[in-house]
Amino acid sequence: MIIWLASYPKSGNTWVRSIIAALMHTNDGVFKFELLNQIKQFPSKKYFKDFTNDFENIHEIKKYWESAQDFINLDNKVKFFKTHHINCKIGQYSFTSKKNTLATIYITRDPRNLVNSISNHFSKSVEDSKNFLFAPKIITKFEKEDDLDNGSLITLLGTWNEHYNFWKNNNENFLLIKYEDLINNTNSELDKIIAFIKRFTPIQTDEIKNKNIIKTTSFNYLQNLEEKGGFDENAYDTNDTKKKFFNLGPKNNWENNLNKKIKDEIELKFYVEMKELGYL
């Protein structure tokens, strides 16, 4: 059964994925980038290649969302998957179901701060990045890597608030993690994550291991690791140059870099959800 690590892009999914990888796949809690391989992305081509090769047709891929998960869950083991896909239904085809989903950890981030991160990651203007949040979106490729085993697959995002609402409303076992809370009180958020996961699978941890997890998955630590090499999920700019993934992190503050017009538009568009999440 799958525990999803779900989020809109650039909301802190890789940070939470790093924390959980260190928690579940080390004895000492010391994180290394190769541990990310323990938590794969879904959808990706390796899980669909036995069903279709029409990888950029959402109406073809949707037919096999559940079939791919059925196959993944044949071993009846608890496993974690990262996803940016909206938890939607298209016609008769659902992205996932109770049969395949054990729980969801959903990571959210203030959409005003997403604008700058999306601008950097996808090489978009600030205006286009705002529109990225506002319009239903299909992403065909997240990384440079495009081989059959590792290439990411066409992903339906929806708008920022649709993405949050569809995951929140379609899941019984749901843990919300706010990026801002991870920054301000990482210890408390780690405790929440551990308590939630323990409901579904055993965890071996202690105070020393938890301290190592927090230290080696901090933004500065991950940024330094990226500079030393070994991270392979970067985006590329129009000149095919690798872009820094761990760019600003906690230093990305919308109050310093977002003009009032765009700020007001975001707050109006997402007022209900931002109020619910405590961003307003």
Side-chain angles (χ1 to χ4, degrees):
M1 293 284 283
I2 296 170
I3 298 178
W4 297 105
L5 307 183
S7 73
Y8 202 82
K10 306 310 296 177
S11 297
N13 200 310
T14 298
W15 189 1
V16 174
R17 184 172 159 222
S18 301
I19 289 170
I20 293 175
L23 176 66
M24 303 301 296
H25 299 289
T26 72
N27 293 322
D28 58 9
V30 176
F31 175 76
K32 301 179 180 65
F33 278 137
E34 53 262 35
L35 290 170
L36 292 177
N37 293 325
Q38 300 292 333
I39 302 177
K40 303 293 189 182
Q41 180 163 302
F42 187 94
S44 58
K45 292 178 182 178
K46 67 182 295 182
Y47 302 113
F48 287 77
K49 61 185 180 182
D50 292 330
F51 300 106
T52 182
N53 60 4
D54 194 358
F55 295 125
E56 295 192 2
N57 181 352
I58 191 68
H59 296 294
E60 177 70 7
I61 293 300
K62 70 182 182 183
K63 301 174 187 177
Y64 306 108
W65 285 333
E66 289 263 40
S67 299
Q69 293 169 43
D70 288 340
F71 184 78
I72 287 168
N73 284 324
L74 283 175
D75 60 5
N76 293 316
K77 293 181 179 179
V78 174
K79 49 192 69 71
F80 295 85
F81 274 90
K82 167 186 175 177
T83 191
H84 291 306
H85 206 290
I86 192 171
N87 190 9
C88 64
K89 185 173 185 178
I90 302 178
Q92 69 188 74
Y93 302 104
S94 296
F95 176 69
T96 190
S97 65
K98 293 179 181 179
K99 177 180 65 170
N100 283 307
T101 292
L102 185 59
T104 295
I105 298 173
Y106 188 87
I107 307 101
T108 190
R109 188 179 186 183
D110 189 325
R112 294 168 296 191
N113 277 331
L114 282 178
V115 171
N116 190 59
S117 289
I118 288 171
S119 176
N120 174 71
H121 188 76
F122 292 106
S123 300
K124 293 179 177 292
S125 70
V126 171
E127 179 70 21
D128 286 344
S129 298
K130 177 210 70 179
N131 292 334
F132 187 100
L133 298 172
F134 283 14
K137 194 71 57 181
I138 292 178
I139 302 296
T140 58
K141 188 175 172 184
F142 280 99
E143 302 104 25
K144 181 180 175 65
E145 189 63 58
D146 198 32
D147 64 83
L148 195 58
D149 285 333
N150 299 310
S152 45
L153 201 62
I154 188 166
T155 295
L156 179 62
L157 296 180
T159 64
W160 177 81
N161 57 338
E162 285 174 340
H163 197 281
Y164 165 66
N165 286 319
F166 272 73
W167 276 105
K168 178 189 69 172
N169 295 331
N170 292 326
N171 217 301
E172 292 180 357
N173 299 315
F174 183 84
L175 176 66
L176 179 70
I177 297 292
K178 292 169 65 177
Y179 182 89
E180 296 77 15
D181 292 339
L182 274 174
I183 292 171
N184 295 325
N185 198 339
T186 313
N187 288 280
S188 176
E189 296 306 293
L190 175 59
D191 288 342
K192 282 170 57 176
I193 290 169
I194 291 171
F196 184 76
I197 295 173
K198 278 185 174 179
R199 292 168 51 189
F200 311 105
T201 190
I203 297 175
Q204 298 298 322
T205 193
D206 53 38
E207 185 177 350
I208 294 174
K209 181 176 179 179
N210 290 353
K211 285 182 177 179
N212 285 338
I213 291 171
I214 291 169
K215 176 184 176 181
T216 62
T217 62
S218 69
F219 183 82
N220 288 339
Y221 193 96
L222 294 174
Q223 195 174 50
N224 289 334
L225 274 185
E226 181 182 13
E227 289 176 0
K228 294 176 182 177
F231 186 73
D232 59 2
E233 299 180 14
N234 306 77
Y236 287 74
D237 63 21
T238 53
N239 296 318
D240 208 29
T241 301
K242 183 185 287 189
K243 304 186 73 171
K244 184 183 290 187
F245 186 89
F246 299 99
N247 186 36
L248 292 178
K251 296 178 182 177
N252 177 15
N253 187 341
W254 64 267
E255 293 180 353
N256 300 328
N257 56 40
L258 199 62
N259 69 54
K260 186 177 185 304
K261 176 179 176 293
I262 291 179
K263 176 192 83 73
D264 289 346
E265 288 181 274
I266 291 172
E267 292 175 355
L268 179 63
K269 176 79 171 177
F270 301 136
Y271 177 82
V272 172
E273 291 77 17
M274 291 180 71
K275 187 77 171 175
E276 178 182 320
L277 289 163
Y279 293 136
L280 292 176

